[in-house]
Structure formats: structure tokens, C-alpha cells
Amino acid sequence: MSSPLARRAQKMRLPFLTQKGQLEVPSPTEKDLLKEDAGVCVFKDPHEELHSLPQPYRMINKLVNLLFDQSWEIIEERDRLREAELSRVQPTIYPPVFQSKLNNVPNCMAISQDYVFIGGAKGFSIYSLYNAKQIYVWDKLKVGVTSIWATDLGTEVLVAPVDGMGIIRLFYLYKDGLFFIKTINEADDTSKQMPCINLEISYGGDFAAFLLQGAGDTWLDVYKLPKESWLKEVEHPQVTTNPKKKVKQPQLNTLDPMASDNLEMDVNVCFRGDVKLSVPVHIMKIKPPKPITGTTFKSPLEVFAKVEGCYGLGSGHNHFIKDSQWEQQAAIFNAMYKESLDGDSEEGPPSMATFHFLLASCVIQMPAEVKSPSGVAGVIGVHWMGHHNFFLYSLNRTLKDKVEPEGVWPCAAPIALSLLSCCCSYLVLACEDGVLTLWDLAKGSPLGVVALPEGCVCQSIHFLKWFVVHEGRNVYPEGPVTSQVTCVVLCTDASLHLVAASRTQGPTIRTLVERPAKHPDEAVCAVAPVQPLPGMVLVFSRNGSVHLLDVAGPQIVCGFAPPRPFHLAAPWKPVFVVSAHQPYFLLRGDRPDGAEATSEARDIPKSVFYFHFAAYPLLEDISRNCSIPQADLPGSASWPQALSLEERCESFLQKRFQKLEHQVKEQEHWTRLRRYSLLLQRENVKK
């Protein structure tokens, strides 16, 4: 008789011998086994027995095997990740230097000069940037502040909070006083309320634009800000008080329940509701471009005869095409893409616009009689969602003037994003097909055109101050440098790219962070440049990590994290702000929910953490020695230097004079062409 172990070994043979009837393990002495059992033995695959199982056992078996295989793959992947993490050199993680404990949820933050503005549940708070001390709280709203802007006006700050209803208010911060200016879009009837979905304030605070949308309509309101009048009015205030109604000062919110009432004596800023400031002047209302329709002109001669000025044709926004031509093109398009268009509804009016305040330069055509002060915005550039054109409107107009663009820059594809540098000298237009156009507005010519890798769609663009690598470290060249631009592009697939261009060579593109195909939790969701550190950007990942990336490497320098048990509640949309001039950045941290939270953390729902780059040993030397004279750099003689103000004015005047001469000649040719078209029309009528 065979043993149980021998019978088990016989069954595990692949393929094994199966007998019809009862199976026994034959002794090795039987020589004619195959001859005797040839008629009763068959060869079978062991998996065939599983396939022959009845339902639902066959399906259950497949699901169990699939679950086992997937679980085993996950286990192996975790082991590989654990081994890779152990072998990888972990960057140094730095804690914050200050912590602001808040009563309400900080929805948004902004930094201007030495102040930090935090939008909360019923208003906004003002803090000191250097010690995280609360200076003032303005909390008169019924809804929370969702976004806040703070613009430096020199010694003053213009604050623009937007609440949850889309209502925007303007405040003026001067020394120890906070002044209310005006509510821009508040309506008595809530059904007619036009929420503000975007705003922009010009460099220097001379103009402001607000994108309003509601009730199926969208437009852009442009205001001129009387900042000179504001300064005079706050220095020599004219107090207008009402004896029947006392101005109630808002109370300061503190976290210390034992704080006494005399805490208001330590407040450095007070609200001056008794002083009225001049309101902004509405100068322009820009609506989305109308869809192109056919012209009523019957012949080209009629077009030349009735259009005034030689700039009416070919300027990007005056096209004379017949209705029949549009119908033919629409029929061809619908026939070619019939399958893709089935079931699609008609697109509504454009709901989003991006706009920038540009300085007057030779690339922007302006009327000869318009004179704009140096350093003051003279043009607003607008592009609407889904449109190919970038429109340029002059800011030297009144509300009675007809709103027409002075210039149009057409693009080959719809413009998805655009960004203006902080110095207003460079502009980037990113199209939906992944093509980026870099413009040097000061020189009046493009620096180049570059295409992102195939499949990458631009999500955000960030300018970096021009830097060079000298003796293994990143430094800023001292003195002005022209026609040199560097920007970081974050794509929708979480890949990060560095784009650089200069006058002497064409644009280049380099990948900094690849798309995380196997580890989606490491995907980059936000990027912020750090101006005090040359060539450095903050990178926020979906797993909640915050790292400082050196784009010259590229390599991770260090990391930042709030103290435990705080973490980022929404890592894919972090709430942070980076100072443009001081080595600080602020990050919102949330306490964990559940048993992990300590008693102290439960009492403080939200906190804002202050990180100071110069306070960390690894970054202290970089922040202090971040510039170098251009004479010490190799090849400094070939660097493009910025011209002096007199040389720039002389060059601009010469180019302007040459352009005026060319315009006079074009106008003469246009006049002759109009006369000839009128003559031909008269002869056609006589015939």
C-alpha cells in the first residue's frame, strides 16, 4: 500500500496520470504498467478540473485568485517602496519659527510690506510678518472672506477682500489707520447681484479691474484709483461724524480667554470709519467679444470706400467675410466632425477672462496724443476663455468713450493661460495646444516660441528672477539685466518644466519633475517661486509634503512641515503665501480629527505657521550671499546690460519718429486707394 505522502506527490505532478476509478500508487517493480493501463488512463491539465466546476464556484475561484494576485502585487510594491525610502537620502525637514493660533478658519492669505492679511469667517485680520503678532481684526461681515489681495503703494497698502457672496471692498492701510474706501459691486437686490470672480490691481496701484459675472452676463469693469488724493486725505483728514450715531470700533479677537480689556492699548492699527476717501473713477466696461458674423458689404470696393483709416483691415479684429462663406465653412466642419459633435450642446457666453496691466512700450500701438507717465500702466491686456485673440485697450479714456481695442494679438490656438512678470517687462501666452510665446515688452519683440512635451497641458506659470550658477551656487547678477527670462511651468499631468530664453539664444525647455506614473501621491499640485533664494521654488505634493527645489540641479534642498499633530487638510489645494521681498512663507496647518489630537490641538482648530528661510543653517548662507557683481562673472562683457533712462528715451523717440513717418506714407496710400475705389464705384453705377 502506498503512503499518504506518496499519493499527495502523485496528485501534484503537472500534468499527472489520472485513472478512471480508484487510484493506487503502483510499485516500482511493475514493468508492464503502461501496457496494462493504456485503456483506462488519460492525461489532464490540473486547471481543467477547476474549469469544470459548476457555477457559481468557478466564478468564486477566479475572484479569489484575482484578489490574491492583486494583494500580492500591493505587498511587493510596498516592500519596494520601503526599500527605496530606506536607501534614499531624506532631505532635512525644518519646523516653523512662529505659530499664529486662530479662532476661525483662515481661508486665504496675502503679504504686503511688513504685514500679513488673513481672511477669516467674518472679515480679515492683520498680523506682523516678523513676530506673528496680531495687529487688528476687521469682522463686520456675515459671510467669510474667500480671497484677499494686498498691493504695495509705497508707504501705504491697498487691501481688497472678496467675501463668499462675491462682494469686493477696498481698504486703505496707512501707518496706524485702516480706512474704508468703497464697496465695488454691492446691490440692494440680491437677485441682481454681480459677484466678482477675478480682480487685478496694476503695479503701483494706479488702476484696478474687476471681472463680474451673473444673470447670464459677464463684463470687466476698469477703475482709476486716486491714490494721490488718498494720501492727502489721510495726512490731513476731514472728520465727518454723526452726533446721533457713534462709530463703534470693532473688538480685537484673541485666543487668550484671560486677556483683559486693556489689550486694545497694544493695538497698533485702528479703524478710521469717520474719514471718507475719494472713490475710484470708473473709466471702462469691457464685454466679451461678439461672435464673428457675415458682413453686409457686397464687394471689396465698398469695403475700401467706407472703412476709414489704414489700420481697419488686417488688425486682427476687423474681418469682412460674407454670410455665405461662413455657412460653407460651418457645413464643411460639421460634416467632417459629425460623430464628435453629436449630442454636444451650444456653448454659452465666455465666463472667464485673464487680464494684465501693461506699461506703454513700442510693441503696443498707442495714439500719438496719449501721454502716459513713466512707470504707470497705460494698457490693459485681456483674453477670454476659448478665444484666440489677446486684446489691448488703452487706459487713457473716459466712460463716455467708445470701448474698442487699440490692438489685437491673434494666436494660432485658443489662449489657455497668460502671465505678466512683476517688473511688467515680460509676458507669456500659453495656448491650449501646449505652445508658449514669450514676449519682451520693453524691447518690443518676442523672445521665442517653445512647445511643451506632447500630451502636456499648461496648468500654471511662475516667473523666476534671472540667476546664474557661479562656482556651484546660484546667484543673482547685480545691476539690471535685460532680455533674460526664466519661468517654471506646471502641467496638468503634474510634470514640472523649466523654460528659459534670452536675446542671444532661443528658448529652451527642461523637465524638472517627471509625471509620477506609479506613485500618484507624489504628484506636484502647486508651485511658488522664492525670490530671496536664487533659482529656488517651493513644491507642494498631494501627500502633504513641502520641499524646496533647486531648479539648476534639479535637486531637493530641504523640506518644511508643521509640527505634529498638525498637517495639511487639503494637500491638493494648500493655503499658503510667499513674501516677494522678505525670506518668509506662511502655511496653514489643521489639527487631525479623531483620537490622535491632543487636548491642546483640539482647542485650536486652525493655525498659520511662519517659516523663515534665513533662520535655518542650510539656507542662511544662500539668503545672505545671493548676489554677485557682474564683473566677477565669466563672460560678463557679453551680457546684455540695461540702458540708462536717457538712452532708452532717445532710442524710443527715434523708433517712434520712424514709425510716424511710415504711418504718414501709409495714410497717403490709403487715401489714394479710397479715391480710386469711389471712382470705380461711380463708373459701375453709370454702366
Side-chain angles (χ1 to χ4, degrees):
M1 298 293 293
S2 60
S3 64
L5 183 62
R7 288 197 299 270
R8 184 177 180 183
Q10 182 70 14
K11 292 181 180 179
M12 294 180 62
R13 293 173 57 190
L14 297 175
F16 62 91
L17 188 65
T18 304
Q19 292 186 350
K20 296 180 180 179
Q22 186 163 354
L23 300 178
E24 293 184 1
V25 179
S27 62
T29 57
E30 300 182 33
K31 299 181 180 179
D32 54 349
L33 175 66
L34 296 178
K35 295 180 180 179
E36 295 178 356
D37 300 338
V40 295
C41 297
V42 293
F43 286 98
K44 288 188 177 181
D45 191 341
H47 295 287
E48 289 185 2
E49 290 190 351
L50 298 178
H51 295 329
S52 62
L53 291 175
Q55 290 288 9
Y57 303 105
R58 188 164 65 248
M59 180 60 66
I60 294 174
N61 179 73
K62 291 182 179 180
L63 291 177
V64 170
N65 290 337
L66 179 62
L67 181 62
F68 179 80
D69 294 340
Q70 292 179 350
S71 302
W72 190 255
E73 291 178 0
I74 294 175
I75 294 172
E76 291 179 343
E77 181 67 18
R78 288 181 178 177
D79 290 340
R80 286 195 295 267
L81 287 177
R82 191 178 294 107
E83 294 177 359
E85 288 292 334
L86 293 176
S87 61
R88 184 192 305 177
V89 178
Q90 297 293 336
T92 305
I93 306 297
Y94 289 116
V97 294
F98 298 116
Q99 177 182 357
S100 289
K101 301 177 181 180
L102 307 178
N103 279 331
N104 50 26
V105 179
N107 299 324
C108 52
M109 296 182 289
I111 294 179
S112 181
Q113 296 185 6
D114 303 332
Y115 303 101
V116 178
F117 303 89
I118 300 178
K122 295 184 178 181
F124 63 92
S125 308
I126 305 177
Y127 290 81
S128 172
L129 179 62
Y130 303 109
N131 56 10
K133 179 183 177 182
Q134 189 181 65
I135 300 176
Y136 185 74
V137 174
W138 188 87
D139 53 355
K140 293 185 177 182
L141 301 178
K142 297 181 179 180
V143 294
V145 173
T146 58
S147 59
I148 188 168
W149 277 260
T151 304
D152 188 2
L153 303 183
T155 58
E156 315 85 45
V157 180
L158 180 64
V159 187
V162 181
D163 62 18
M165 300 294 292
I167 300 175
I168 180 169
R169 298 169 175 86
L170 297 181
F171 293 85
Y172 189 76
L173 180 61
Y174 177 73
K175 293 183 179 179
D176 59 347
L178 181 65
F179 304 86
F180 175 71
I181 300 174
K182 183 186 178 182
T183 301
I184 297 297
N185 60 331
E186 188 174 13
D188 297 334
D189 189 358
T190 56
S191 62
K192 299 180 180 179
Q193 181 69 45
M194 300 294 294
C196 176
I197 58 177
N198 194 11
L199 70 91
E200 187 74 26
I201 301 174
S202 67
Y203 178 76
D206 296 282
F207 298 92
F210 309 99
L211 182 63
L212 307 179
Q213 183 185 40
D217 198 3
T218 305
W219 69 78
L220 183 67
D221 276 339
V222 184
Y223 290 82
K224 182 175 177 57
L225 305 179
K227 64 176 188 177
E228 291 81 7
S229 302
W230 292 341
L231 186 59
K232 295 178 182 178
E233 292 167 355
V234 296
E235 289 180 346
H236 307 283
Q238 296 181 359
V239 180
T240 59
T241 59
N242 187 354
K244 297 182 180 179
K245 183 178 180 181
K246 267 191 174 181
V247 178
K248 184 180 179 181
Q249 299 291 340
Q251 299 294 325
L252 179 66
N253 293 335
T254 61
L255 289 174
D256 188 2
M258 303 300 294
S260 59
D261 295 335
N262 60 4
L263 185 61
E264 294 182 0
M265 300 297 295
D266 298 331
V267 177
N268 298 327
V269 174
C270 62
F271 183 69
R272 298 293 304 274
D274 55 347
V275 179
K276 291 186 178 181
L277 302 184
S278 301
V279 297
V281 180
H282 189 204
I283 61 174
M284 193 178 358
K285 182 177 181 180
I286 303 174
K287 288 194 173 184
K290 296 180 180 179
I292 301 176
T293 57
T295 180
T296 57
F297 294 125
K298 298 180 180 179
S299 65
L301 293 177
E302 190 176 355
V303 174
F304 289 117
K306 294 186 178 181
V307 174
E308 296 182 358
C310 57
Y311 302 104
L313 298 177
S315 60
H317 62 96
N318 282 339
H319 299 278
F320 302 97
I321 304 175
K322 289 185 177 181
D323 290 331
S324 59
Q325 293 176 313
W326 281 116
E327 293 174 359
Q328 292 176 2
Q329 293 295 329
I332 295 174
F333 181 83
N334 293 332
M336 186 176 299
Y337 301 100
K338 182 179 179 180
E339 296 180 357
S340 302
L341 294 174
D342 288 342
D344 292 347
S345 59
E346 294 184 1
E347 297 182 359
S351 58
M352 274 300 296
T354 305
F355 39 95
H356 311 282
F357 289 98
L358 312 178
L359 301 177
S361 62
C362 54
V363 74
I364 302 171
Q365 193 78 12
M366 295 295 296
E369 66 275 6
V370 173
K371 295 181 180 179
S372 180
S374 177
V376 178
V379 177
I380 181 172
V382 185
H383 70 82
W384 298 87
M385 182 181 63
H387 286 260
H388 295 66
N389 297 330
F390 187 74
F391 300 94
L392 302 173
Y393 298 86
S394 173
L395 296 173
N396 296 276
R397 66 173 77 229
T398 61
L399 189 59
K400 297 180 180 179
D401 297 334
K402 188 177 181 181
V403 180
E404 289 185 355
E406 275 69 25
V408 179
W409 294 354
C411 297
I415 303 175
L417 289 174
S418 62
L419 184 67
L420 180 69
S421 63
C422 58
C423 61
C424 303
S425 297
Y426 306 104
L427 176 68
V428 177
L429 298 178
C431 296
E432 293 181 357
D433 57 356
V435 176
L436 278 68
T437 305
L438 291 82
W439 283 90
D440 185 356
L441 300 179
K443 293 293 183 180
S445 59
L447 286 172
V449 179
V450 64
L452 296 173
E454 186 177 357
C456 294
V457 180
C458 183
Q459 179 179 348
S460 62
I461 308 173
H462 309 272
F463 275 106
L464 299 181
K465 187 178 178 181
W466 180 262
F467 71 96
V468 295
V469 181
H470 179 66
E471 296 181 355
R473 63 189 184 95
N474 303 340
V475 292
Y476 290 131
E478 292 182 354
V481 178
T482 60
S483 301
Q484 305 278 356
V485 62
T486 305
C487 59
V488 175
V489 180
L490 176 62
C491 298
T492 53
D493 62 349
S495 61
L496 196 64
H497 307 273
L498 179 67
V499 178
S502 63
R503 180 67 57 188
T504 57
Q505 56 185 359
T508 58
I509 184 170
R510 182 162 57 95
T511 301
L512 300 177
V513 178
E514 297 282 352
R515 175 189 176 188
K518 294 185 177 181
H519 312 293
D521 58 331
E522 297 181 359
V524 179
C525 57
V527 177
V530 182
Q531 296 294 351
L533 303 178
M536 304 287 181
V537 296
L538 285 174
V539 178
F540 298 81
S541 302
R542 287 187 176 270
N543 56 9
S545 61
V546 183
H547 294 105
L548 185 66
L549 176 66
D550 182 3
V551 300
Q555 60 181 355
I556 298 295
V557 179
C558 62
F560 305 96
R564 293 185 178 181
F566 291 92
H567 68 290
L568 301 184
W572 56 91
K573 194 177 181 181
V575 179
F576 68 95
V577 62
V578 183
S579 177
H581 305 288
Q582 304 296 336
Y584 282 90
F585 96 90
L586 278 64
L587 179 65
R588 191 187 89 177
D590 301 340
R591 67 169 177 83
D593 297 328
E596 298 179 0
T598 62
S599 59
E600 182 182 359
R602 291 192 187 98
D603 298 334
I604 305 169
K606 307 293 177 183
S607 293
V608 174
F609 299 96
Y610 290 62
F611 296 88
H612 186 209
F613 297 112
Y616 306 122
L618 188 61
L619 305 177
E620 183 178 3
D621 182 64
I622 300 176
S623 60
R624 292 181 179 178
N625 303 316
C626 61
S627 61
I628 187 173
Q630 292 188 3
D632 297 343
L633 295 174
S636 59
S638 60
W639 274 59
Q641 303 292 331
L643 300 177
S644 62
L645 181 61
E646 292 78 8
E647 293 175 339
R648 291 186 67 179
C649 291
E650 180 66 23
S651 175
F652 179 75
L653 289 175
Q654 289 180 359
K655 293 180 180 179
R656 190 67 178 173
F657 182 72
Q658 295 175 359
K659 194 171 293 185
L660 287 175
E661 289 183 344
H662 185 63
Q663 290 178 3
V664 170
K665 294 180 180 179
E666 287 184 348
Q667 190 65 39
E668 292 177 356
H669 291 300
W670 185 262
T671 304
R672 288 196 295 267
L673 181 60
R674 289 192 65 194
R675 291 176 180 175
Y676 183 68
S677 62
L678 289 173
L679 179 61
L680 291 177
Q681 279 189 338
R682 291 174 184 173
E683 291 181 356
N684 291 336
V685 171
K686 291 179 181 179
K687 293 181 180 180

